[in-house]
């Protein structure tokens, strides 16, 4: 209870929120590093995912290879980058970009691969070129899954960025590391609460964005499917 009380006191101290290295400043840096890491991961995963999903061949291999990166310990990767001369935010962006690739790549491939073959055949029948079928038919139908992949990647990266503090980077993890350094465990808990709160906030905002990006027809079909399942579900 003493630790929780200390955490509340720390969070309610205005001096911890303002100025250089205050919570507001660290949140800004945390989000910037997250944005750069996700953009870098998306720059790799999206083109590759679109290519694999559109071709319909080699998709399984691509996803399996990307998912092997999940087995890489984040701290180990950060240490390797730091020993190679990459410190602070640079090391964190590179390391987190590696972990942003799998969900984006997997969902992009799955989204395009899940397009109804009859829809593809109809697009071919109308004379659309391969590129036109990709951008006018397949991508719009795959948007919900692609957006879900980006959403997952963003939340994962936000939760991973605090490790930046271990290689000299700035983030909300700085609060946690400094708390351990001076044995103020209330500050450690406060830092953890801030990271968790930021994850939940961003998750909620991205969920709204995902809904907005989903074509209206797909939203209505999904809603109809949920209604049908509730009607068919046996009572009791």
């Amino acid at each position: 209870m003493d630790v929780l009380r200390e955490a509340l006191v720390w969070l309610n101290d205005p001096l911890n929120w303002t100025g250089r290295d205050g919570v507001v400043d660290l949140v800004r840096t945390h989000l910037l590093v997250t944005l750069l890491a996700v953009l870098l991961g998306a720059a790799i995963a999206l083109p590759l995912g679109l290519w694999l999903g559109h071709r319909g061949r080699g998709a399984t291999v691509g996803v399996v290879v990307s998912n092997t990166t999940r087995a890489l310990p984040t701290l180990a990767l950060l240490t390797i980058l730091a020993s190679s001369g990459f410190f602070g935010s640079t090391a964190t962006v590179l390391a987190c970009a590696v972990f942003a690739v799998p969900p984006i790549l997997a969902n992009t491939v799955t989204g395009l691969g899940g397009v109804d073959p009859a829809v593809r055949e109809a697009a071919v029948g109308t004379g659309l070129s391969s590129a036109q079928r990709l951008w006018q038919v397949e991508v719009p139908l795959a948007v919900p899954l692609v957006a879900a992949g980006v959403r997952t990647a963003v939340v994962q990266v936000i939760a991973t960025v605090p490790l930046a503090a271990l290689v000299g980077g700035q983030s909300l993890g700085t609060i946690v590391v400094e708390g351990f350094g001076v044995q103020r465990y209330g500050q450690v808990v406060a830092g953890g609460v801030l990271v968790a709160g930021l994850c939940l906030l961003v998750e909620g905002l991205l969920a709204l964005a995902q809904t907005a990006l989903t074509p209206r027809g797909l939203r209505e079909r999904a809603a109809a499917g949920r209604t049908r399942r509730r009607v068919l579900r046996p009572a009791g």
Side-chain angles (χ1 to χ4, degrees), residues 36-62:
L36 293 176
V38 173
L39 286 177
L40 180 57
I44 298 170
L46 283 177
L48 182 58
L50 291 174
W51 181 64
L52 290 173
H54 182 60
R55 289 177 71 248
R57 295 190 298 273
T60 301
V61 175

Side-chain angles (χ1 to χ4, degrees), residues 74-88:
T74 309
L75 184 56
L77 185 54
L78 282 170
T79 303
I80 292 172
L81 290 170
S83 64
S84 302
F86 297 98
F87 293 95

Side-chain angles (χ1 to χ4, degrees), residues 78-137:
L78 282 170
T79 303
I80 292 172
L81 290 170
S83 64
S84 302
F86 297 98
F87 293 95
S89 296
T90 302
T92 309
V93 168
L94 294 175
C96 288
V98 172
F99 296 102
V101 168
I104 299 176
L105 176 59
N107 278 43
T108 302
V109 172
T110 302
L112 266 68
V115 174
D116 191 334
V119 174
R120 296 178 187 268
E121 292 176 5
V124 172
T126 59
L128 294 180
S129 67
S130 178
Q132 287 174 325
R133 292 198 303 273
L134 172 63
W135 294 108
Q136 296 180 23
V137 177

Side-chain angles (χ1 to χ4, degrees), residues 145-178:
L145 271 178
V146 175
V150 173
R151 174 179 162 189
T152 300
V154 171
V155 175
Q156 286 182 351
V157 170
I158 288 177
T160 306
V161 166
L163 293 175
L166 298 176
V167 291
Q170 293 291 101
S171 70
L172 287 175
T174 302
I175 298 171
V176 177
V177 171
E178 289 181 352

Side-chain angles (χ1 to χ4, degrees), residues 198-223:
L198 185 61
C199 286
L200 291 173
L201 175 61
V202 173
E203 166 76 11
L205 293 175
L206 290 179
L208 294 175
Q210 180 181 341
T211 301
L213 288 172
T214 301
R216 181 177 178 181
L218 292 180
R219 294 202 303 269
E220 293 176 347
R221 187 169 66 182

